[in-house]
Amino acid sequence: MDKIRIVGGNELKGTIPISGAKNAALPLMIASLLTEDKLILDNVPRLADVALLQRILGNHGVDITTNGKRNGDDPNAGQTLEIDARVIVDTTAPYDLVSRMRASFWVVGPLLARMGEARVSLPGGCAIGTRPVDFHLDALRALGADLEIDAGYVRARAPKGLKGARIVFPKVSVGATHTALMAATLADGETVIENAAREPEVTDLAECLMKMGAQISGAGTSTIYIQGVPRLRGARHAVLPDRIETGTYAMATAMTGGDVLLAGARPDLLESTIDILRQAGVEVDATNEGIRVRRNGAGILPVEVSTAPHPGFPTDLQAQLMALMTKAKGRSRITETIFENRFMHVQELARLGAKIQLDGDTATIEGAERLTGAPVMATDLRASVSLVIAGLAAEGETLVQRVYHLDRGFERLEEKLSRCGAEIERISG
Ligand code: UD1
């Protein structure tokens, strides 16, 4: 298994191009199932999760062409996928594929809406908590689907099509909002989704669906209105920049005391994160090309943060912020409110010398003068990258194991960081 070797201590200086957002690319690719026409997606990141979803869609009969790069193309531009779901040969999403990536469960909505049936494996647990799918199922039931759980599979049927309905989520869920939104586009009549997720990736999906002919208003707010249409058409859409990748490199820069331009990043997608970074004494400026991040001479100041649904501070940056706070001058507090058990990085950060106390859903971090490199291992994507960030600021060598987690969500991580002066390499094996 590949490892990442980091020798810490170098400041990051230069430009890091920000890729298209994984969490937008996945639902956008799944939305292709809603139409017989071609959906063309630009700025799709080259990630293991995207490749896996290509396989999963391929299993349903979807043809996907990846456009190669031509001379003169921007070397940092994402890939363009031409997705053709004209013929759906199979409405089953099997366990061995769905269990590898939870988001693949989201095929259930579009398959049901267009084909009148879907059989999709329940995704099962994962390293950051139990992560049920009950809100997805309740939303589909509200839209008139007949659901049965059998041998680990959800069997959904709506032979006469789905019917518009009022869906009220008890708690904000990004995935369940995607499911309800996609399914409702082809339902008969109006659907209202209340307590909808306001994440920018939901808005991006809604914008693409509207280009495909869906009638949607209110995406980006807590109430989304969808007027169902009989069919959707093809469209072309560019995936929005990854706010989690942006926040991650901003924290890495703050951690090492450098000066980096995050090219193509959009400050409006991560206002709460920028606020927190500024409270921590990091200089963050919007420029024409993206976001410039610098640490001022005063070092890192401690902060108190709770994760929350958008526009709050994202749970997907919690581990990275914790890494940054290990170098703060004083005591910080970080509370995780979205996922139980999303503190797997704490023990690993402790191996680098971090002083972190856990009490239920709150971590108290005593900023340490220095971290020292060590072999570490992580169990999920964002936790792994927090260890990379910590390694960049630690003295000596850090070896991060189980790199496949990073490959799921960070495109060319070592290359992007080493171009800015980090000593980081992948060791194959
Ligand atoms: C998405 C993101 C993930 C991010 C998370 C929260 C993708 C591919 N993944 O995951 O990176 O960390 O949003 O911002 O976009 N819940 C239920 N029942 C459900 C669904 C969710 O109880 O049916 C709970 C979850 O356990 C969790 C909370 O709702 O406590 C939010 O989860 P949700 O927003 O659904 O996360 P995902 O969409 O899976």
Side-chain angles (χ1 to χ4, degrees), residues 40-195:
I40 303 177
L41 296 177
D42 296 307
N43 201 31
V44 177
R46 292 175 179 79
L47 295 171
D49 273 7
V50 167
L52 180 58
L53 185 55
Q54 286 181 240
R55 275 188 59 198
I56 291 167
L57 293 174
N59 201 54
H60 295 300
V62 178
D63 282 330
I64 304 183
T65 320
T66 310
N67 290 354
K69 283 203 174 121
R70 295 192 194 89
N71 274 343
D73 281 357
D74 174 358
N76 296 315
Q79 55 188 339
T80 293
L81 300 184
E82 292 199 13
I83 311 179
D84 183 343
R86 192 166 50 88
V87 183
I88 303 289
V89 294
D90 191 346
T91 52
T92 295
Y95 176 71
D96 61 325
L97 293 175
V98 178
S99 59
R100 288 205 243 159
M101 182 176 59
R102 290 185 48 85
S104 52
F105 180 78
W106 304 345
V107 298
V108 69
L111 284 174
L112 179 65
R114 179 167 148 214
M115 308 302 291
E117 59 166 42
R119 190 170 161 269
V120 179
S121 168
L122 287 166
C126 80
I128 63 172
T130 47
R131 300 183 80 178
V133 290
D134 49 336
F135 303 161
H136 300 247
L137 303 184
D138 290 346
L140 295 175
R141 262 192 215 103
L143 292 168
D146 209 3
L147 300 185
E148 236 176 80
I149 311 280
D150 179 33
Y153 279 77
V154 176
R155 187 185 277 275
R157 286 197 196 87
K160 294 191 185 131
L162 297 171
K163 289 217 160 23
R166 180 165 170 258
I167 297 167
V168 185
F169 287 121
K171 182 175 172 187
V172 174
S173 160
V174 175
T177 303
H178 287 323
T179 292
L181 182 59
M182 288 193 273
T185 55
L186 292 179
D188 181 21
E190 187 182 64
T191 297
V192 182
I193 307 176
E194 290 182 32
N195 202 20

Side-chain angles (χ1 to χ4, degrees), residues 22-24 26-27 49 102-103 106 128 130-137 171-176 178 197 199 201 243-244 308-310 314-316 337-340 342 381-382:
K22 168 179 90 75
N23 286 358
L26 300 178
D49 273 7
R102 290 185 48 85
W106 304 345
I128 63 172
T130 47
R131 300 183 80 178
V133 290
D134 49 336
F135 303 161
H136 300 247
L137 303 184
K171 182 175 172 187
V172 174
S173 160
V174 175
H178 287 323
E199 268 64 6
E201 293 75 23
R243 64 196 166 97
I244 304 303
H310 194 79
T315 174
D316 285 350
T337 71
I338 309 290
F339 292 110
E340 77 216 52
R342 198 173 199 181
L381 168 61
R382 312 304 177 182

Side-chain angles (χ1 to χ4, degrees), residues 361-393:
D361 59 3
T362 298
T364 305
I365 305 114
E366 296 290 346
E369 271 301 293
R370 51 197 281 264
L371 299 175
T372 37
V376 287
M377 176 177 300
T379 40
D380 80 71
L381 168 61
R382 312 304 177 182
S384 311
V385 85
S386 78
L387 298 173
V388 170
I389 294 181
L392 291 174

Side-chain angles (χ1 to χ4, degrees), residues 2 25 98 129 146 159 164 198 214 228 263 284 288 317 358 395:
D2 289 5
V98 178
D146 209 3
R198 289 182 278 166
V284 185
N288 286 341
L317 285 171
L358 269 185
E395 284 170 22

Side-chain angles (χ1 to χ4, degrees), residues 276-277 279-281 301-305 321 325 328 331-334:
I276 297 293
L277 285 169
Q279 282 175 37
L301 304 174
V303 294
E304 298 229 350
V305 181
L321 181 67
M325 286 303 124
R331 178 181 298 169
S332 314
R333 224 173 247 117
I334 302 181

